[in-house]
Amino acid sequence: STYERAFSHAYDMLGVLPPSVEPRATGHMTQMITYMQRLIDAGFAYPAQGSVYFDVAAWSAADGSDYGSLSGNNLVDMEQGETDNVGKRSPQDFALWKAAKPGEPSWPTPWGDGRPGWHLECSAMSTWYLGPEFDIHGGGIDLQFPHHENEVAQSCCAHPEGDFASIWMHNGFVNVEGEKMSKSLGNFFTVRDLLDKGIPGEVIRFVLMSSHYRQPMDFSDERVEESTVLLTLWEKLLRD
């Protein structure tokens, strides 16, 4: 797709090695259906009017459960932010599968046609390729709740033999000249935009790596200039 090509091109220009596997959710519907069946059979999920929901209370009542520990949120105060709540037992429950709507893509399941929830996609694919427990899970700090919290819950229930991710690495946001990058502020740009301005890929990568990954990173003309000078100095030292 257009976005996949743009993503791969940006990685190439920044000198980032490609991943071993780049799975698509549309190619792993069988794994997702199997995943949901495991959760339903274990008592941690339930079908409702064509959708399937994860039962947060069921896991909270199970031995060793700690829903909310990743994000530090209190269970009572949690809201999933989902608009499709038909058949939900509790506001804390989240959708594993959403019943089909007119005009939307859909796939068949034993509980009705529909599409997967975004939490389910990630857990089904990551555990399919990496197993019930792996070392590092990354992502933006804005994904910590509900996305990553829900990944932990469903994965530990579907695969109680593992702990899903051993280490979570949440990166901070990119700021531009001291302000958060956003389309609404008009300061949003892509790697392609920076390359078109003549900024080399290695300089872009160096600027992004110049702050601790958990901290906000300010992308400014000053940082670009400082990184360019430093990289030029290092290249000269290597040549000498």
Side-chain angles (χ1 to χ4, degrees):
S1 70
T2 300
Y3 298 109
E4 285 178 314
R5 289 193 296 271
F7 182 81
S8 297
H9 178 70
Y11 262 35
D12 289 342
M13 294 299 98
L14 296 183
V16 179
L17 295 175
S20 303
V21 183
E22 294 182 278
R24 290 182 176 183
T26 52
H28 295 77
M29 292 299 166
T30 300
Q31 287 85 351
M32 294 180 205
I33 293 171
T34 301
Y35 211 93
M36 286 189 286
Q37 188 65 65
R38 290 171 66 102
L39 290 170
I40 291 173
D41 292 344
F44 294 112
Y46 57 93
Q49 301 183 40
S51 297
V52 180
Y53 294 101
F54 182 87
D55 191 335
V56 172
W59 190 46
S60 297
D63 291 339
S65 66
D66 54 355
Y67 188 75
S69 62
L70 181 66
S71 60
N73 288 331
N74 186 294
L75 178 61
V76 177
D77 300 328
M78 289 183 188
E79 289 287 348
Q80 296 295 339
E82 297 176 344
T83 56
D84 299 332
N85 297 320
V86 179
K88 262 193 183 186
R89 294 176 181 172
S90 167
Q92 281 82 30
D93 295 349
F94 57 86
L96 299 170
W97 189 263
K98 298 184 179 183
K101 291 182 179 179
E104 286 187 351
S106 64
W107 290 263
T109 76
W111 313 285
D113 293 353
R115 59 183 178 85
W118 65 315
H119 317 304
L120 175 71
E121 295 173 347
C122 293
S123 287
M125 290 190 292
S126 60
T127 53
W128 175 255
Y129 288 101
L130 301 174
E133 185 171 346
F134 50 88
D135 292 331
I136 300 173
H137 193 312
I141 189 64
D142 55 324
L143 298 179
Q144 194 174 49
F145 182 83
H147 185 45
H148 291 163
E149 195 75 71
N150 292 346
E151 276 192 81
V152 172
Q154 65 194 12
S155 299
C156 289
C157 290
H159 295 283
E161 71 276 19
D163 291 326
F164 195 47
S166 300
I167 299 171
W168 288 86
M169 300 181 71
H170 292 105
N171 60 274
F173 294 121
V174 175
N175 295 332
V176 180
E177 302 292 350
E179 290 188 299
K180 179 182 175 181
M181 178 191 284
S182 70
K183 291 184 179 180
S184 62
L185 293 176
N187 63 353
F188 180 86
F189 53 79
T190 65
V191 171
R192 166 50 61 191
D193 295 332
L194 296 176
L195 293 170
D196 289 344
K197 288 177 60 176
I199 303 175
E202 61 268 23
V203 172
I204 300 172
R205 181 174 179 176
F206 192 87
V207 173
L208 293 172
M209 295 175 65
S210 62
S211 298
H212 191 281
Y213 75 93
R214 285 200 302 264
Q215 302 302 316
M217 199 286 300
D218 191 36
F219 201 102
S220 63
D221 291 338
E222 182 180 0
R223 285 215 173 193
V224 169
E225 184 177 347
E226 291 173 352
S227 298
T228 301
V229 170
L230 189 55
L231 282 172
T232 302
L233 173 62
W234 287 358
E235 290 171 359
K236 182 178 184 302
L237 289 171
L238 285 172
R239 284 197 304 269
D240 294 342

